[in-house]
Amino acid sequence: MKLEDINKVGEKNLKLLNNLGIYNIDDLIRNYPYRFEVLARRNINDSNFFDNMTIDGIVETTPVVSFFKGKKNRLTFMINSQDKLIKVIIFNRAFMKNSIKVGNYVTVIGKYNNKLETLTATNILLSKLGNTLKIIPVYHQTKGLTSKQINYFVNEALSYLPLHNNIPSFLSDKYNLMDEHDALKIIHNPTSEQELKNAIKTLKYEELFTYMLKVRRLKKKNEEHNVLFKKNIDLKEVNKFISKLPFKLTIDQKQAIKEMIQNLRNDVKMNRLLQGDVGSGKTIVAFILAFACFTAGYQSTLMAPTEILAIQHYENALNLFKDFDFKIGLLTGKMTSKQKKEVYGKLENKELDFLIGTHALISENVTWNNLGLVITDEQHRFGVSQRLALKNKSQVPDVLLMSATPIPRTYALTIYGDTDVTSIKTMPKGRIPVKTFVRKTSELKEVLEIIYLALKNGNQAYVIAPMIEESDNADYTNVNDLKHKFELAFKNYRVEILHGKMENEEKEKIMNDYLENKINILISTTVIEVGVDVKNATVMAIFNAERFGLSTLHQLRGRVGRNNLQSYCFLVSDKDTERLKIMEQTTDGFKISEADFKLRGQGDLFGNRQSGDLMFKLSDVKKDYDLLVKVKEDVNNYFEKQSL
Ligand code: ADP
Ligand code: MG
């Protein structure tokens, strides 16, 4: 059946439907009303309902039309509703003038002004409301096509449509869902709120189910069974490395490693997201996997979003693997072409087993000897397009994405729907939550005192500013200024700065000195936001904290609290914002991401909207998250049954 086959859909209406994004019957019947007008008698003395009032009454005066500002017009008349005279105003409905007749019943819907006894209507129905409830579906409209007409076309289509259920019956039984065809009929023609609710529940489930099934099929396609993916890992060697670590792995870390090594050993391609809050210890897990690949004779790579982080991982890995014959290299965009060439040569000749670098390295023409695993750190910083770019590389080895929990928990199931998820939920032992305080610039003394105590104790501090140098916006603190101020306040201590515009060597030197506690106070921009790990730092002061988003603040704060001492984070700001309050209240990355989600809304998070597959018509990834999780499980079960 085509749109043109519907009664009254001619060339003109077809075009109008197209304007609304409706090109076929399926689009039409899934063009759900975006809201429902529930017409229920309200008591005019009940102030709760003034904004959305529905009343009926008898027309008392002939409607008067007045025109203003070009084509705009206003229609006014009086009605008598339960012995009360009410003035009704409606804009741009001059055409209704002759249908509203004195002595007839009308039902008006709109906003009631109690003082003026005036109702500004959004809709007028030429009938009595009576005591029965009415629910009117409202569709997105286009000029020349009303909600009512759209509803007519939908119903025509529905009456011809063969019955078809997408949800298998054992699942619709499980959730008490309606027949899908009935649900469609009801959502377009609801008669009771309860029924409508059930219909929406059914269609939401169906929407998520079909989506997840698609994703699952995609995943299946990715799950190429191929001996190429089968890595003969030397577990003994891996365990030897683990036993030599300076700390004991947490249960979650062990579990994650076990799960992923299993994946590396079987012949299914790994496509996995490792998520864990800031400081939960993902890096070591990545290193162990890279090492595991090495024991099977493969090379691996770890990509970080910033040079500073890449350098830190590199130094860290060199140190951890110093007693092993595991050759580690570094590649960043800022290296000279001579340095890069040297690295390329080594990769080709397999003189390197593990390459750590910035994301720049996927765009470079690196020839590997036998690349077996690609790891991306702080995946959420890279975005969807880069993830896809990575997937589209011709040589596709096993892939591991790592991310701090926050944003992706909800993301994970949608954007990463074709990906397995491994989580680290517990923090390494002995961690104490960071104490966070919002302080005004006039209260700096207290902040400086705490920093002073920390330094006296042999610990270190981070100071964060939004700018590198003085700029047009004199309101914002900058790194250079702060350096002078802190040098004056802390005469016997070494204060240094770090920011993204510095040369690699300089950054490396500063980071190393800070790591070795040769620098006491590090004044930095948000370049240290991701991943930087200096256990001895116990205080952080963030200037102009109101400038930063929640996830940035959470990530920044994650730089302290990495040992078993009490750490502090001061958010210096003269503005009271909701974000700063949330930071004071919790250190739980999940709660923070939820709050972030609410404050910023879905739109912002899914900035990359053109990848339309994220858009659901009925469901909301945030509000329906729990359902989404259930559906994912259901789909997996169903899928497994089917492929038997
Ligand atoms: P993130 O998950 O944020 O990337 P990191 O991997 O940087 O966290 O780890 C944070 C710190 O915790 C590092 O200093 C790391 O050496 C340390 N760490 C990791 N695992 C453990 C553990 N099991 N016990 C103690 N410390 C650990
Ligand atoms: Mg990290």
PDB file of all heavy atoms in Angstrom, residues 606-619:
ATOM      1  N   PHE A 606      23.689  14.262  22.831  1.00  0.00           N
ATOM      2  CA  PHE A 606      23.706  13.608  21.537  1.00  0.00           C
ATOM      3  C   PHE A 606      23.941  14.647  20.460  1.00  0.00           C
ATOM      4  O   PHE A 606      23.279  14.668  19.442  1.00  0.00           O
ATOM      5  CB  PHE A 606      22.411  12.852  21.306  1.00  0.00           C
ATOM      6  CG  PHE A 606      22.256  11.715  22.251  1.00  0.00           C
ATOM      7  CD1 PHE A 606      21.281  11.725  23.225  1.00  0.00           C
ATOM      8  CD2 PHE A 606      23.123  10.649  22.191  1.00  0.00           C
ATOM      9  CE1 PHE A 606      21.168  10.684  24.114  1.00  0.00           C
ATOM     10  CE2 PHE A 606      23.016   9.594  23.080  1.00  0.00           C
ATOM     11  CZ  PHE A 606      22.028   9.613  24.044  1.00  0.00           C
ATOM     12  N   GLY A 607      24.855  15.542  20.733  1.00  0.00           N
ATOM     13  CA  GLY A 607      25.145  16.650  19.839  1.00  0.00           C
ATOM     14  C   GLY A 607      25.136  16.241  18.375  1.00  0.00           C
ATOM     15  O   GLY A 607      24.686  16.981  17.512  1.00  0.00           O
ATOM     16  N   ASN A 608      25.623  15.048  18.132  1.00  0.00           N
ATOM     17  CA  ASN A 608      25.775  14.570  16.761  1.00  0.00           C
ATOM     18  C   ASN A 608      24.458  14.008  16.235  1.00  0.00           C
ATOM     19  O   ASN A 608      24.356  12.850  15.904  1.00  0.00           O
ATOM     20  CB  ASN A 608      26.828  13.461  16.787  1.00  0.00           C
ATOM     21  CG  ASN A 608      27.630  13.456  15.530  1.00  0.00           C
ATOM     22  OD1 ASN A 608      27.230  14.059  14.539  1.00  0.00           O
ATOM     23  ND2 ASN A 608      28.758  12.766  15.550  1.00  0.00           N
ATOM     24  N   ARG A 609      23.461  14.855  16.163  1.00  0.00           N
ATOM     25  CA  ARG A 609      22.109  14.378  15.919  1.00  0.00           C
ATOM     26  C   ARG A 609      21.867  13.758  14.550  1.00  0.00           C
ATOM     27  O   ARG A 609      20.955  12.973  14.384  1.00  0.00           O
ATOM     28  CB  ARG A 609      21.115  15.531  16.101  1.00  0.00           C
ATOM     29  CG  ARG A 609      20.626  15.608  17.528  1.00  0.00           C
ATOM     30  CD  ARG A 609      19.223  15.058  17.640  1.00  0.00           C
ATOM     31  NE  ARG A 609      18.934  14.740  19.009  1.00  0.00           N
ATOM     32  CZ  ARG A 609      17.864  15.157  19.674  1.00  0.00           C
ATOM     33  NH1 ARG A 609      16.976  15.901  19.086  1.00  0.00           N
ATOM     34  NH2 ARG A 609      17.697  14.817  20.906  1.00  0.00           N
ATOM     35  N   GLN A 610      22.664  14.176  13.589  1.00  0.00           N
ATOM     36  CA  GLN A 610      22.353  13.707  12.239  1.00  0.00           C
ATOM     37  C   GLN A 610      22.425  12.188  12.124  1.00  0.00           C
ATOM     38  O   GLN A 610      21.831  11.609  11.235  1.00  0.00           O
ATOM     39  CB  GLN A 610      23.207  14.383  11.157  1.00  0.00           C
ATOM     40  CG  GLN A 610      24.705  14.346  11.344  1.00  0.00           C
ATOM     41  CD  GLN A 610      25.178  15.475  12.222  1.00  0.00           C
ATOM     42  OE1 GLN A 610      24.631  15.737  13.290  1.00  0.00           O
ATOM     43  NE2 GLN A 610      26.227  16.154  11.801  1.00  0.00           N
ATOM     44  N   SER A 611      23.128  11.575  13.069  1.00  0.00           N
ATOM     45  CA  SER A 611      23.158  10.121  13.047  1.00  0.00           C
ATOM     46  C   SER A 611      21.832   9.619  13.598  1.00  0.00           C
ATOM     47  O   SER A 611      21.756   8.964  14.621  1.00  0.00           O
ATOM     48  CB  SER A 611      24.307   9.591  13.892  1.00  0.00           C
ATOM     49  OG  SER A 611      24.243  10.161  15.184  1.00  0.00           O
ATOM     50  N   GLY A 612      20.781   9.957  12.883  1.00  0.00           N
ATOM     51  CA  GLY A 612      19.390   9.812  13.294  1.00  0.00           C
ATOM     52  C   GLY A 612      19.001   8.564  14.058  1.00  0.00           C
ATOM     53  O   GLY A 612      17.988   8.559  14.746  1.00  0.00           O
ATOM     54  N   ASP A 613      19.824   7.527  13.998  1.00  0.00           N
ATOM     55  CA  ASP A 613      19.428   6.284  14.634  1.00  0.00           C
ATOM     56  C   ASP A 613      19.265   6.384  16.149  1.00  0.00           C
ATOM     57  O   ASP A 613      18.796   5.487  16.791  1.00  0.00           O
ATOM     58  CB  ASP A 613      20.400   5.161  14.277  1.00  0.00           C
ATOM     59  CG  ASP A 613      21.822   5.498  14.638  1.00  0.00           C
ATOM     60  OD1 ASP A 613      22.050   6.632  15.070  1.00  0.00           O
ATOM     61  OD2 ASP A 613      22.692   4.640  14.490  1.00  0.00           O
ATOM     62  N   LEU A 614      19.678   7.532  16.703  1.00  0.00           N
ATOM     63  CA  LEU A 614      19.554   7.671  18.147  1.00  0.00           C
ATOM     64  C   LEU A 614      18.196   8.200  18.555  1.00  0.00           C
ATOM     65  O   LEU A 614      17.834   8.226  19.707  1.00  0.00           O
ATOM     66  CB  LEU A 614      20.606   8.632  18.669  1.00  0.00           C
ATOM     67  CG  LEU A 614      22.007   8.123  18.519  1.00  0.00           C
ATOM     68  CD1 LEU A 614      22.992   9.181  18.898  1.00  0.00           C
ATOM     69  CD2 LEU A 614      22.173   6.896  19.390  1.00  0.00           C
ATOM     70  N   MET A 615      17.486   8.670  17.584  1.00  0.00           N
ATOM     71  CA  MET A 615      16.235   9.327  17.888  1.00  0.00           C
ATOM     72  C   MET A 615      15.102   8.314  17.936  1.00  0.00           C
ATOM     73  O   MET A 615      14.823   7.633  16.970  1.00  0.00           O
ATOM     74  CB  MET A 615      15.925  10.338  16.794  1.00  0.00           C
ATOM     75  CG  MET A 615      16.913  11.465  16.747  1.00  0.00           C
ATOM     76  SD  MET A 615      16.550  12.643  18.049  1.00  0.00           S
ATOM     77  CE  MET A 615      14.949  13.199  17.466  1.00  0.00           C
ATOM     78  N   PHE A 616      14.464   8.259  19.053  1.00  0.00           N
ATOM     79  CA  PHE A 616      13.274   7.441  19.149  1.00  0.00           C
ATOM     80  C   PHE A 616      12.062   8.343  19.052  1.00  0.00           C
ATOM     81  O   PHE A 616      12.113   9.508  19.414  1.00  0.00           O
ATOM     82  CB  PHE A 616      13.257   6.697  20.481  1.00  0.00           C
ATOM     83  CG  PHE A 616      14.337   5.684  20.611  1.00  0.00           C
ATOM     84  CD1 PHE A 616      15.306   5.804  21.586  1.00  0.00           C
ATOM     85  CD2 PHE A 616      14.382   4.606  19.740  1.00  0.00           C
ATOM     86  CE1 PHE A 616      16.315   4.867  21.701  1.00  0.00           C
ATOM     87  CE2 PHE A 616      15.380   3.660  19.855  1.00  0.00           C
ATOM     88  CZ  PHE A 616      16.351   3.794  20.833  1.00  0.00           C
ATOM     89  N   LYS A 617      10.975   7.774  18.574  1.00  0.00           N
ATOM     90  CA  LYS A 617       9.773   8.589  18.453  1.00  0.00           C
ATOM     91  C   LYS A 617       9.037   8.683  19.776  1.00  0.00           C
ATOM     92  O   LYS A 617       8.534   9.734  20.131  1.00  0.00           O
ATOM     93  CB  LYS A 617       8.849   7.999  17.393  1.00  0.00           C
ATOM     94  CG  LYS A 617       9.364   8.267  15.992  1.00  0.00           C
ATOM     95  CD  LYS A 617       8.303   7.973  14.955  1.00  0.00           C
ATOM     96  CE  LYS A 617       8.692   8.536  13.615  1.00  0.00           C
ATOM     97  NZ  LYS A 617       8.852   7.493  12.609  1.00  0.00           N
ATOM     98  N   LEU A 618       8.952   7.573  20.489  1.00  0.00           N
ATOM     99  CA  LEU A 618       8.199   7.571  21.736  1.00  0.00           C
ATOM    100  C   LEU A 618       9.101   7.538  22.960  1.00  0.00           C
ATOM    101  O   LEU A 618       8.798   8.119  23.970  1.00  0.00           O
ATOM    102  CB  LEU A 618       7.279   6.344  21.795  1.00  0.00           C
ATOM    103  CG  LEU A 618       5.972   6.401  21.017  1.00  0.00           C
ATOM    104  CD1 LEU A 618       5.280   5.051  21.105  1.00  0.00           C
ATOM    105  CD2 LEU A 618       5.070   7.486  21.554  1.00  0.00           C
ATOM    106  N   SER A 619      10.206   6.834  22.843  1.00  0.00           N
ATOM    107  CA  SER A 619      11.033   6.598  24.016  1.00  0.00           C
ATOM    108  C   SER A 619      12.030   7.719  24.224  1.00  0.00           C
ATOM    109  O   SER A 619      12.393   8.425  23.299  1.00  0.00           O
ATOM    110  CB  SER A 619      11.778   5.286  23.875  1.00  0.00           C
ATOM    111  OG  SER A 619      10.924   4.319  23.340  1.00  0.00           O
TER     112      SER A 619
END
